[in-house]
């Protein structure tokens, strides 16, 4: 393990520079059109970083002492109180000034804890600065494993360097962990492989607020990271598990997209199931990937769901890979 950590530290200098922004994108928006995101130098990953650099961080109070910060990669949740701030996900490092300002606007409590919902850069790129600002980092053991080493995400056509030492989770778990902070009982639970093999949910049981990580993209086709152990059937299982544990009163924080509710979660699950069935029927009939894409199995859903990072063709390919 020492060698791996050393490797991570050595890689840090070069690595983080990749995420520094060439602020050449003309328009700021949380939801950039997919073509625009992909067109950035460095593809989708640099496109997401560029978008974060230009975005304002929006603060959305949820319930009790829990708020959401939107506008820097994956959706961030913040719990404030006398035990110090707890953040769920770290966003993109370039958003540090905006996140710092937003956090200061919530309360004077120091930053004490950070939980990563999975290893992806748009949820962990801010780990290093948050750690140096005072946060201990907790995550599933696979998040730490994947951050420790250089890792290629084929679906994004991008190779991520090892994370710097300060970015690594120091408290890890396999199945579940309970945190008691600021009067909240916070349940961290591992999903079986779904979006990746490192996804966890975070449930604030008193406030009835659930962060479901990237097992839910509210209103858009999800990315499924097969390079990190994810798959379509696991994604459907995770969606079903999410539906089973919430009520109409639960505030649900998706990894991406607006804060939502149970009815929207059901819509998302139904979309996944319908497209999976169409794609698997085509594949079983012997159709190649190209022929399956040409058959447009997502057509009924594209207007509503196909407007962001994962295009209809890309989503068809992700489903095809797993059926
Ligand atoms: Zn993700």
């Amino acid at each position: 393990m020492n060698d791996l950590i050393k490797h991570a530290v050595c890689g840090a200098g070069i690595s983080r520079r990749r995420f520094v922004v060439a602020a050449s994108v003309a328009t700021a928006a949380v939801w950039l059109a997919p073509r625009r995101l992909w067109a950035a130098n460095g593809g989708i990953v640099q496109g997401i970083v560029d978008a974060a650099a230009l975005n304002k961080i929006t603060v959305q109070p949820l319930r009790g002492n829990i708020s959401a910060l939107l506008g820097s990669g994956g959706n961030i949740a913040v719990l404030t109180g006398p035990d110090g701030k707890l953040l769920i996900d770290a966003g993109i490092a370039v958003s540090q000034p905006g996140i710092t300002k937003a956090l200061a606007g919530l309360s004077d409590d120091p930053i004490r804890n950070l939980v990563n919902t999975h290893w992806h850069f748009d949820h962990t790129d801010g780990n290093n600065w948050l750690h140096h600002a005072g946060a201990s980092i907790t995550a599933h053991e696979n998040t730490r494993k994947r951050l420790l080493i250089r890792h290629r995400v084929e679906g994004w056509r991008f190779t991520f360097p090892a994370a710097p030492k300060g970015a690594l989770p120091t408290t890890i778990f396999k199945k579940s962990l309970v945190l008691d902070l600021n009067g909240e009982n916070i349940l961290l639970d591992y999903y079986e492989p779904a979006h990746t093999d490192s996804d966890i949910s975070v449930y604030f049981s008193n406030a009835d607020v659930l962060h479901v990580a990237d097992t839910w993209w509210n209103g858009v086709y999800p990315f499924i990271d097969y390079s990190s152990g994810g798959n379509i059937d696991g994604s459907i299982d995770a969606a079903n598990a999410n539906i089973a544990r919430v009520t109409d009163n639960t505030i649900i924080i998706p990894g991406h997209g607006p804060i939502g509710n149970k009815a929207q979660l059901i819509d998302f699950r139904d979309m996944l199931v319908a497209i999976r069935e169409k794609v698997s029927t085509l594949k079983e009939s012997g159709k190649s990937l190209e022929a399956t894409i040409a058959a447009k199995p997502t057509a009924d859903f594209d207007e509503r769901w196909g407007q962001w990072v994962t295009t209809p063709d890309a989503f068809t390919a992700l489903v095809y890979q797993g059926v």
Side-chain angles (χ1 to χ4, degrees):
M1 178 164 300
N2 279 343
D3 284 342
L4 286 175
I5 290 172
K6 236 180 276 162
H7 178 204
V9 174
C10 294
I14 305 164
S15 64
R16 294 296 114 177
R17 235 173 293 147
R18 278 216 89 112
F19 297 146
V20 172
V21 168
S24 56
V25 182
T27 325
V30 177
W31 296 80
L32 291 185
R35 216 174 294 124
R36 184 163 197 108
L37 278 170
W38 278 104
N41 282 336
I44 193 71
V45 168
Q46 191 60 47
I48 290 169
V49 173
D50 289 348
L54 293 166
N55 281 339
K56 276 218 159 75
I57 301 299
T58 308
V59 179
Q60 184 175 343
L62 296 181
R63 191 178 284 153
N65 47 348
I66 301 165
S67 302
L69 306 189
L70 314 174
S72 177
N75 292 330
I76 296 169
V78 184
L79 173 74
T80 59
D83 296 325
K85 291 190 179 93
L86 161 69
L87 274 73
I88 311 303
D89 281 344
I92 312 279
V94 293
S95 306
Q96 179 178 351
I99 291 175
T100 302
K101 195 174 157 202
L103 290 174
L106 288 174
S107 76
D108 293 334
D109 312 314
I111 298 165
R112 284 275 185 261
N113 285 286
L114 166 65
V115 169
N116 291 140
T117 62
H118 62 298
W119 83 275
H120 278 158
F121 82 105
D122 49 329
H123 304 255
T124 59
D125 192 42
N127 277 18
N128 199 36
W129 81 261
L130 280 164
H131 170 70
H132 287 105
S136 303
I137 307 175
T138 300
H140 186 261
E141 61 179 6
N142 289 346
T143 291
R144 182 181 161 90
K145 260 187 218 167
R146 294 199 178 278
L147 286 175
L148 267 171
I149 53 170
R150 186 181 153 85
H151 186 40
R152 173 87 179 162
V153 175
E154 221 37 73
W156 284 339
R157 295 175 225 142
F158 197 92
T159 302
F160 291 89
K165 191 179 177 189
L168 296 174
T170 47
T171 302
I172 55 172
F173 66 96
K174 278 178 193 292
K175 285 288 174 200
S176 61
L177 188 72
V178 180
L179 305 175
D180 265 301
L181 293 168
N182 298 322
E184 256 299 345
N185 191 240
I186 305 146
L187 313 179
L188 314 185
D189 286 295
Y190 179 58
Y191 293 98
E192 292 304 310
H195 167 71
T196 68
D197 66 0
S198 63
D199 312 311
I200 62 164
S201 59
V202 180
Y203 184 54
F204 299 93
S205 27
N206 297 339
D208 194 13
V209 173
L210 177 66
H211 195 316
V212 294
D214 277 6
T215 68
W216 188 26
W217 298 50
N218 190 6
V220 294
Y221 290 139
F223 176 58
I224 300 170
D225 184 1
Y226 287 81
S227 303
S228 302
N231 63 81
I232 178 64
D233 286 343
S235 298
I236 291 170
D237 290 346
N240 280 322
N242 289 336
I243 291 164
R245 78 181 292 188
V246 299
T247 69
D248 291 336
N249 188 50
T250 310
I251 296 174
I252 312 163
I253 307 172
H256 299 275
I259 307 301
N261 57 37
K262 183 173 185 175
Q264 293 167 320
L265 199 50
I266 290 169
D267 282 351
F268 176 77
R269 187 271 318 269
D270 291 349
M271 176 275 293
L272 292 183
V273 169
I275 292 176
R276 189 226 180 269
E277 285 320 299
K278 289 192 178 198
V279 170
S280 89
T281 302
L282 290 164
K283 189 171 180 179
E284 276 162 23
S285 76
K287 287 215 182 328
S288 66
L289 172 61
E290 291 67 29
T292 301
I293 289 173
K296 302 210 171 297
T298 64
D300 294 346
F301 299 90
D302 290 347
E303 195 181 330
R304 177 169 171 199
W305 301 89
Q307 309 299 320
W308 201 47
V309 175
T310 306
T311 61
D313 290 358
F315 187 57
T316 302
L318 289 172
V319 176
Y320 187 92
Q321 193 174 344
V323 295

